[in-house]
Amino acid sequence: MSKDKLIKLGVLIALVAGFWYVTPPDGLSVNAWRMFLIYAAAILGLVLKPFPEPVILLGAVAATALIFNDPKGALAGYASTTTWLVFAAFTLSAAFVNTGLGKRIAYLLIGKLGHTTLGLGYVTAFLDLAVAPATPSNTARAGGIVFPIMNSVAVALGSQPGDTAKKVGSYLMVNTYMVTKVTSFMFVTAMAPNALAGDYMKKIMDVSLDWMFWAKALVVPGFLLLLIIPLVVYLMDPPELNKVDNKKIAEDGLRELGPMSTKEKFLVALFILALLGWMMPSVLKEFFGITKFMGVKIAMNATSVAVGIMALTFITGVMSWDELLKNKSGWSTLIWFGGIVGLSDVLTKMKFFSWLAVVMKSYMNFGDNATLALWVIVFASVAVRYLFASGTAYVAAMLPVFLTVGMAAGANPMALALALAASNSYGGALTHYGGAAAPIIFVAGYNTTKSWWTIGGVVAIISFVFMMTIGVGWWKLLGLF
């Protein structure tokens, strides 16, 4: 083990050991205090990264099971429907890459919309949006599907890192990341931490955001924001080349892919089937008042749909089991995500979050101004993202605090939940390490740190103001609060 890893591991052990025998704060049990120390060490581990995320969470789960003699509670996250929703969606995500369907959609969009550099910016946005509902890894989406295509387009147009970066590549690269920071909050399945955030919201505030509810609340403001961001980035990082021979780029790309394969056709059908399964029960109920069919209640859990679609990808031959085994990000997410859900379950049962709400309420005072409380808390949730290189680490470390503070301050629970669901994503636009996709794109060498941070800061501020005005207005129009 390297010296760096030993030091980081020592910090985690010191955190737990140093406070283990400290008298807990008033109102908190000894077990809850010690469980919090394990949880805090796990979160700090996600930030320091002495080991990969799954290893850190497995260690924390093992410690919880051994110390409290509660393996069932510690492992409960692996039986969570939220965990399996994310894992099943990863299969669809991998299928878009493996079959080449993601690339095909990209080249079709380039052929239709990419005759200008700004048009290519919108191609990036719409491509990301098209596959977002089924790709909980925005790293795979932006870094694995969109970025390679846009990088190839930049090179084809004579733009490479260095003297020709500003020709077109600089704009295309930073725009690729900024638009994924919008699409990632539009669907609960568009980014893995979304499901984790929803889990915390249910436990702490008793606010339930199922797939359709989340989409209904966030797709419209998200789409309107998506229409703005490519233009904002274009104005801040104007490319030297404005006109593009998009027809040739599209034709060459589609020629290389060849005719649409049977696997791709099946994947299109399965993708549509998944969307229908996630949407239809709510659509039938809300727009047609239909809740039963032939006396049977119409209800399809989002996880049930996702797992069913995952099974069909294997049955139809869209994906093989060996291909799934090679999907390291999916398996890694299953381990760390299930682990952190399990740890939060144990904390919830030990009444830690209830105690935290009482404590926060005694210190937080916004008077009767719930709107001010909402703005301040959401702004803080964005600003703190400078400290985090992972949306997952942010959600696990800070979201419970912001939710608890918001409840104590009297903010509307639904408005708070939706605003924080969005800010988790667009807050990551601030830096070139704000999400796992950012370093992949940044290290291509087209952008400087200064320009990235400047553009990211403006995008984050615009997104914040937009969601707190237009977004909140949309939620009120829907009657959500």
Side-chain angles (χ1 to χ4, degrees):
M1 187 184 299
S2 68
K3 182 179 179 181
D4 181 60
K5 284 187 176 182
L6 279 173
I7 292 173
K8 291 177 179 178
L9 181 60
V11 170
L12 302 185
I13 294 172
L15 170 65
V16 177
F19 292 93
W20 192 257
Y21 291 105
V22 171
T23 302
D26 291 340
L28 193 64
S29 69
V30 173
N31 277 354
W33 169 249
R34 291 176 174 175
M35 182 61 222
F36 167 69
L37 292 177
I38 295 173
Y39 182 82
I43 302 310
L44 184 58
L46 292 178
V47 176
L48 297 179
K49 298 184 177 178
F51 302 104
E53 291 172 338
V55 177
I56 293 166
L57 267 301
L58 277 178
V61 167
T64 301
L66 289 168
I67 292 169
F68 301 106
N69 194 28
D70 184 18
K72 186 176 181 180
L75 294 168
Y78 297 108
S80 166
T81 55
T82 304
T83 302
W84 280 92
L85 171 63
V86 173
F87 180 67
F90 259 100
T91 306
L92 270 181
S93 173
F96 271 95
V97 177
N98 292 357
T99 62
L101 181 60
K103 284 186 176 182
R104 188 176 301 279
I105 295 171
Y107 286 123
L108 289 171
L109 286 172
I110 289 172
K112 296 292 183 182
L113 304 173
H115 59 283
T116 65
T117 307
L118 180 59
L120 287 176
Y122 281 99
V123 166
T124 304
F126 296 144
L127 170 60
D128 201 296
L129 176 62
V131 297
T135 47
S137 170
N138 56 12
T139 306
R141 188 166 71 247
I145 296 176
V146 183
F147 163 68
I149 294 170
M150 289 300 140
N151 190 37
S152 298
V153 169
V155 172
L157 294 174
S159 181
Q160 296 193 47
D163 294 339
T164 59
K166 294 289 290 182
K167 189 173 183 180
V168 65
S170 177
Y171 167 68
L172 291 180
M173 295 306 107
V174 72
N175 183 67
T176 295
Y177 183 66
M178 296 305 158
V179 296
T180 205
K181 293 287 93 182
V182 177
T183 61
S184 292
F185 71 69
M186 293 170 67
F187 307 94
V188 71
T189 46
M191 184 171 70
N194 288 349
L196 182 61
D199 192 63
Y200 281 124
M201 291 164 186
K202 175 63 178 176
K203 291 171 182 173
I204 296 172
M205 300 195 303
D206 198 28
V207 171
S208 297
L209 302 178
D210 63 22
W211 195 95
M212 187 59 192
F213 190 98
W214 185 299
K216 180 174 71 174
L218 292 171
V219 164
V220 170
F223 183 75
L224 294 176
L225 187 57
L226 198 63
L227 295 178
I228 298 171
I229 297 304
L231 178 59
V232 170
V233 178
Y234 184 87
L235 294 174
M236 294 191 69
D237 191 3
E240 297 169 356
L241 180 68
N242 294 316
K243 296 293 183 179
V244 177
D245 185 2
N246 59 311
K247 299 300 182 183
K248 183 178 186 308
I249 294 173
E251 288 171 3
D252 289 347
L254 291 171
R255 187 183 304 112
E256 183 180 345
L257 288 172
M260 192 172 188
S261 66
T262 302
K263 287 185 177 182
E264 290 177 87
K265 294 175 183 177
F266 271 125
L267 181 55
V268 170
L270 292 176
F271 181 51
I272 294 172
L273 193 61
L275 292 179
L276 289 175
W278 286 328
M279 293 168 55
M280 286 310 294
S282 296
V283 170
L284 290 174
K285 179 180 178 180
E286 293 188 25
F287 293 98
F288 302 100
I290 300 173
T291 58
K292 292 184 178 181
F293 178 72
M294 298 181 67
V296 179
K297 184 178 179 181
I298 300 174
M300 283 186 283
N301 180 275
T303 303
S304 301
V305 173
V307 172
I309 295 297
M310 179 173 69
L312 286 174
T313 61
F314 301 127
I315 293 171
T316 58
V318 171
M319 285 274 289
S320 69
W321 184 252
D322 285 340
E323 286 176 316
L324 181 63
L325 291 176
K326 294 175 184 177
N327 184 15
K328 295 180 181 179
S329 59
W331 290 105
S332 293
T333 300
L334 176 66
I335 298 300
W336 70 252
F337 194 98
I340 208 163
V341 169
L343 295 182
S344 68
D345 276 347
V346 176
L347 271 178
T348 302
K349 290 175 183 176
M350 291 182 174
K351 307 296 183 185
F352 175 82
F353 294 119
S354 300
W355 168 83
L356 186 61
V358 173
V359 172
M360 290 291 186
K361 191 171 184 178
S362 65
Y363 287 100
M364 300 297 298
N365 183 13
F366 288 92
D368 294 324
N369 199 331
T371 301
L372 175 63
L374 180 65
W375 276 72
V376 170
I377 291 166
V378 177
F379 181 81
S381 77
V382 176
V384 79
R385 285 306 300 273
Y386 279 109
L387 304 176
F388 290 91
S390 162
T392 302
Y394 157 77
V395 168
M398 298 303 302
L399 188 63
V401 176
F402 288 130
L403 293 174
T404 305
V405 169
M407 287 180 62
N412 181 278
M414 184 58 72
L416 180 65
L418 293 171
L420 288 175
S423 71
N424 170 41
S425 180
Y426 68 72
L430 288 170
T431 67
H432 63 298
Y433 55 80
I440 296 173
I441 300 168
F442 182 78
V443 297
Y446 286 93
N447 307 95
T448 65
T449 301
K450 181 181 178 181
S451 68
W452 190 290
W453 281 44
T454 302
I455 294 169
V458 171
V459 166
I461 291 171
I462 290 175
S463 299
F464 168 73
V465 174
F466 188 93
M467 294 306 296
M468 297 304 293
T469 53
I470 305 300
V472 170
W474 171 249
W475 304 332
K476 288 182 177 179
L477 184 65
L478 290 177
L480 302 184
F481 58 89

